[in-house]
Amino acid sequence: MKAYTVYRFDYTRQEREAVGKLLERRSRDRGNNIEALLRLARKLYSTSSLDSHIVITPDPVISTDTDN
């Protein structure tokens, strides 16, 4: 599973703020995974403001290995 952070970019303030997270649970690529996640993020985290835009970015992978 991959985790993605959902941001809302506000054009008037030129800032992005984290508004949530999404998990990609598909085990293999179907060609439109990112597009489908973006549509879901827009559906879940949309606002009525025309000056904002929803953006998703993958979370960095955190290694759980302790032998360095």
Side-chain angles (χ1 to χ4, degrees), residues 11-63:
Y11 289 110
T12 56
R13 295 183 309 180
Q14 293 294 311
E15 291 182 349
R16 71 176 187 176
E17 60 181 335
V19 292
K21 288 194 178 267
L22 290 176
L23 289 177
E24 179 182 33
R25 300 185 323 188
R26 294 180 177 176
S27 59
R28 59 189 164 100
D29 187 29
R30 296 184 187 166
N32 66 349
N33 289 6
I34 300 298
E35 185 179 330
L37 282 173
L38 185 56
R39 264 187 267 135
L40 179 63
R42 286 180 182 154
K43 186 178 183 180
L44 292 174
Y45 299 108
S46 67
T47 62
S48 61
S49 172
L50 298 175
D51 294 333
S52 64
H53 186 73
I54 299 292
V55 179
I56 60 173
T57 59
D59 287 344
V61 176
I62 299 171
S63 177

